Amino acid sequence: MDSDRVNRESLVHHLRDALPLSARPRPALLAFLRARGAIGRGAPRLVVVDIFDAGGTQGLMCRFEIAGEIDAPSFVAPLTQVALDRRHPLAQRLAERRRHTPRTGPA
């Protein structure tokens, strides 16, 4: 079995155990949410409610809600587009994984 896959599954398991997680949107996700009228001018706090492995080039994905919004829809985005609270131990593990995972896509 591929060790990267095992590490990824372990990370997903640990992240799911810690749900819900507090996060904030990274710039691209912030722009996406503003363009769709889901948020105003401020940068909202997000609540990650699910994490899953989409496989292939998609990688780890998350389902999140905008904190404080009643009856607001949930959204799905790559986990790389949300910044977890830095103080959370899993955020540090995720950051370490990002540093050691080769980037894909246009340069």
Side-chain angles (χ1 to χ4, degrees), residues 2-106:
D2 181 11
S3 65
D4 185 50
R5 181 176 173 206
V6 170
N7 290 338
R8 192 172 54 240
E9 288 173 1
S10 173
L11 179 59
V12 168
H13 176 74
H14 285 92
L15 287 167
R16 280 186 176 163
D17 285 347
L19 293 175
L21 292 166
S22 179
R24 61 180 173 76
R26 294 193 185 272
L29 181 58
L30 190 61
F32 172 85
L33 292 171
R34 281 188 184 137
R36 294 319 163 282
I39 61 170
R41 293 184 56 100
R45 190 173 65 82
L46 308 177
V47 179
V48 178
V49 295
D50 191 20
I51 297 192
F52 58 95
D53 187 357
T57 59
Q58 295 297 321
L60 299 181
M61 303 287 285
C62 68
R63 185 168 59 90
F64 66 90
E65 298 171 351
I66 299 170
E69 295 290 320
I70 299 173
D71 295 327
S74 63
F75 299 89
V76 174
L79 190 56
T80 57
Q81 291 302 313
V82 300
L84 300 178
D85 183 348
R86 290 183 191 160
R87 296 169 292 191
H88 198 286
L90 290 172
Q92 295 168 5
R93 183 174 171 194
L94 189 59
E96 181 71 21
R97 176 179 164 73
R98 285 181 182 146
R99 282 192 290 273
H100 291 96
T101 302
R103 295 181 186 240
T104 58

